[in-house]
Amino acid sequence: MTTLSVFGKPASPGVAIGRAYVLGLSTTLPEPPEEFSGPFNAEAEFEKLTQAIRAAKFEIELVHKKSLSTLGAEKAAIFEAHLMIVEDPEMLDLTRDRIFGKAEGSQGFETARLAYSKVADFFVTTFESMKNEYMRERAHDVKDVSSRVLRKLDPNAANESSIESIVSDVIVVAHDLTPSETATLDRNHVLGFVTNVGGKTSHTAILARTLEIPAVLGLDSITQKVVTGDWIALNGDTGEVFINPSQEIISQLNEKKAKLEKEKAELARWVGKPSVTRDGRKVLLTANLGTVDDLPLVLKNDAEGIGLFRTEFLFMGRNSAPSEEEQFRSYKTVLEAMKGKPVVIRTLDIGGDKEVPYLNIKKEENPFLGLRAIRYCLRTPELFKIQLRALLRASSFGNLEIMIPMISCLQELTQAKAMIEEARAQLVSEGVKVASHIKVGIMIEIPAAALIADVLAKHCDFFSIGTNDLIQYTCAVDRMNQSIHQLYDPGHLGVRRLIAMTAKAAKEAGISVAMCGEMAGTAEFLSFLVGVGLDELSMSSSSLLRTRKQLAELSFKDSAAFASAAVNS
Ligand code: PEP
Ligand code: MG
């Protein structure tokens, strides 16, 4: 088999090599006509059939493996029979004859789908008419296997490959993965993933980095080039993806993988060390959290707190909103796990690429400029109140700070704060314990907020700069739009100036200033961010130790001089 190599957007670092598992609608095969009409390529039809059989066989192998552990060997044996059926040489020969128009009584060529379904029908009817009950039962197995193959030949049929059914080590191949699908990926089985769409600052990419799953996104048509069961190798640092890689490529990537693992192991010696520059400037290094399942990695990478808990993932991938009790339990779990270290929990930030269908938000022309985050919460006080009550109830279990996303003007901040106070008064009157002082901060992710940071700073306890959005709004580049991604520039002078203005306003008002966008964990910007005076950097936990090491090599004095020059030109 020849190796095919394609390039996409490197979204999450690391190397992964494994078998492909194609999710969602099967777009791997063009829809065949039911009957032959017009020019016909029998060879191509036969190739479709063999691909479909290969993909079905791989799925059956996965089901077999899972059933061995869940049902035991005796019950799992049924799938061994399915494996024999899917590769049955007689079925294959008869189908081939029909495709090539050589079958007895044949009317001419047949598509792979038509030919295979006729052959499968023939086998089913034959088994069903047998006297022996055991043989009659085999008809069910043929139906089961053949419908699996036929689904692979029908792009309009929903492919049953779903995230939940992943049971062995695979590389997920999908047109797109929603952030909630990504959040539920099983790290034990998903070695990596590749998608047609998406870019580095999509929430899918952000979560992949948090989960430490190598990923390449924005490959355009990878789902059309790969079928389930193909070998895939990906390099999440370069964006290169190999389909059916040669032994030589596999060896090279394995070498790279071993090198990365060695580097990672060496970083472990930074656990427990302070996060300071070599001239003594302390910068708090905290983690971004998607779900409570990320906590083990946060603790392993020695985060000095949580700088951003994206609570919207609690609301996604389900049919109704989480109750106050459910939210309270999640927040309490995180606060307790962090044992008194600061935990910044951000209130619901839905909208943009984070869709929550049951909230029935009207379809918008420009969702990133629409009813997002705090705008939605203030318009839906019943929902917001539930979250605020859950947060305040959890506050007595750790060091909670509440953060409001997408603030664009002072009025939104004062309204949100009033609602927090209202929820507090209500809880206190109910006799519920609430921490006496909870810091309330805001995200600076809209240029207007950065421009009035001096005003906003007088009304909150901290800022956290959300560069993922700040860059898209400053440069007017949709963070999801791959065709203009080269204009999405964290190093843009305009972005640097807004960051510097925000930091200056915070200093003058005596409040702290953090950054929790992806820029915070990007090595090339560390000197600027430290130099401009940020007190805290919150990032994917996988970047924490590397940043601590890099910080120890920096001089704050030199960084400050560098940052001050960097906002002037
Ligand atoms: C940001 O915009 O930088 C941010 C951290 O928030 P999100 O990526 O969730 O929009
Ligand atoms: Mg944001």
Side-chain angles (χ1 to χ4, degrees), residues 185-328:
L185 287 178
D186 180 351
R187 284 183 73 238
N188 297 322
H189 289 315
V190 178
L191 304 173
F193 68 85
V194 292
T195 62
N196 291 344
V197 298
K200 211 170 168 162
T201 50
S202 64
H203 286 93
T204 302
I206 290 170
L207 288 170
R209 290 193 284 278
T210 302
L211 293 166
E212 298 185 15
I213 299 178
V216 177
L217 311 186
L219 285 149
D220 289 337
S221 55
I222 189 78
T223 49
Q224 284 163 29
K225 298 187 173 107
V226 176
V227 290
T228 291
D230 277 347
W231 281 97
I232 296 206
L234 70 96
N235 185 341
D237 295 273
T238 60
E240 203 164 17
V241 176
F242 302 93
I243 303 160
N244 295 314
S246 64
Q247 209 39 57
E248 194 190 340
I249 293 170
I250 292 183
S251 319
Q252 280 169 8
L253 286 175
N254 272 331
E255 251 173 57
K256 158 113 185 140
K257 198 170 166 194
K259 192 168 156 249
L260 288 173
E261 270 156 23
K262 191 163 163 246
E263 279 167 14
K264 209 164 152 185
E266 278 166 10
L267 283 178
R269 72 186 180 85
W270 288 88
V271 169
K273 298 256 167 69
S275 306
V276 280
T277 62
R278 66 182 151 86
D279 50 352
R281 161 87 180 174
K282 166 90 191 130
V283 179
L284 200 69
L285 296 185
T286 53
N288 291 351
L289 191 81
T291 72
V292 289
D293 295 341
D294 303 339
L295 278 172
L297 284 173
V298 167
L299 298 173
K300 185 171 150 229
N301 287 296
D302 197 26
E304 293 173 299
I306 302 291
L308 165 66
F309 177 6
R310 289 182 162 97
T311 58
E312 47 279 9
F313 293 113
L314 279 171
F315 289 71
M316 292 162 70
R318 50 192 295 158
N319 299 321
S320 59
S323 64
E324 179 183 316
E325 189 57 30
E326 187 181 340
Q327 291 188 54
F328 162 71

Side-chain angles (χ1 to χ4, degrees), residues 27-245:
T27 51
T28 53
L29 302 161
E31 183 168 21
E34 276 309 317
E35 302 285 348
F36 163 62
S37 63
F40 190 84
N41 184 342
E43 291 291 348
E45 284 300 307
F46 186 64
E47 176 58 23
K48 284 178 205 165
L49 178 72
T50 51
Q51 279 191 3
I53 288 176
R54 195 149 41 97
K57 181 181 166 222
F58 183 67
E59 276 182 11
I60 299 169
E61 282 168 352
L62 295 184
V63 180
H64 179 230
K65 218 173 194 172
K66 185 174 187 180
S67 57
L68 270 177
S69 58
T70 54
L71 303 171
E74 200 184 321
K75 297 249 165 40
I78 185 162
F79 298 107
E80 284 166 25
H82 282 202
L83 283 170
M84 282 161 73
I85 296 169
V86 79
E87 290 197 299
D88 184 82
E90 202 184 341
M91 280 184 85
L92 188 67
D93 283 349
L94 288 173
T95 311
R96 184 198 284 116
D97 286 351
R98 299 200 81 94
I99 291 174
F100 285 90
K102 290 187 195 152
E104 222 174 275
S106 159
Q107 311 272 302
F109 300 116
E110 283 176 10
T111 64
R113 195 162 109 205
L114 184 64
Y116 187 79
S117 70
K118 281 186 179 169
V119 171
D121 273 354
F122 167 74
F123 273 79
V124 169
T125 330
T126 310
F127 279 120
E128 277 174 346
S129 64
M130 286 184 179
K131 284 215 172 67
N132 179 316
E133 196 188 329
Y134 175 81
M135 294 310 282
R136 272 205 311 277
E137 280 299 313
R138 301 289 63 77
H140 286 299
D141 296 327
V142 177
K143 267 191 209 162
D144 189 333
V145 172
S146 59
S147 58
R148 201 183 276 280
V149 175
L150 287 168
R151 270 197 300 276
K152 301 278 163 229
L153 287 165
D154 178 3
N156 291 325
N159 185 322
E160 72 185 294
S161 310
S162 67
I163 286 176
E164 297 78 47
S165 55
I166 294 174
V167 289
S168 69
D169 297 355
V170 289
I171 293 189
V172 171
V173 180
H175 173 68
D176 193 10
L177 282 179
T178 64
S180 64
E181 283 169 331
T182 312
T184 54
L185 287 178
D186 180 351
R187 284 183 73 238
N188 297 322
H189 289 315
V190 178
L191 304 173
F193 68 85
V194 292
T195 62
N196 291 344
V197 298
K200 211 170 168 162
T201 50
S202 64
H203 286 93
T204 302
I206 290 170
L207 288 170
R209 290 193 284 278
T210 302
L211 293 166
E212 298 185 15
I213 299 178
V216 177
L217 311 186
L219 285 149
D220 289 337
S221 55
I222 189 78
T223 49
Q224 284 163 29
K225 298 187 173 107
V226 176
V227 290
T228 291
D230 277 347
W231 281 97
I232 296 206
L234 70 96
N235 185 341
D237 295 273
T238 60
E240 203 164 17
V241 176
F242 302 93
I243 303 160
N244 295 314

Side-chain angles (χ1 to χ4, degrees), residues 349-370:
D349 181 12
I350 41 136
D353 63 335
K354 291 177 284 199
E355 291 178 15
V356 183
Y358 60 82
L359 293 180
N360 295 322
I361 299 175
K362 272 217 212 96
K363 205 113 199 95
E364 296 174 307
E365 287 286 332
N366 295 298
F368 274 108
L369 301 178

Side-chain angles (χ1 to χ4, degrees), residues 489-501:
D489 179 12
H492 192 292
L493 180 58
V495 174
R496 280 184 269 148
R497 283 188 177 168
L498 290 174
I499 293 170
M501 280 178 71

Side-chain angles (χ1 to χ4, degrees), residues 346 349 372 443 445 469 479:
R346 180 173 76 180
D349 181 12
R372 264 189 83 181
M443 290 202 61
E445 50 186 344
D469 281 314
R479 67 198 256 189

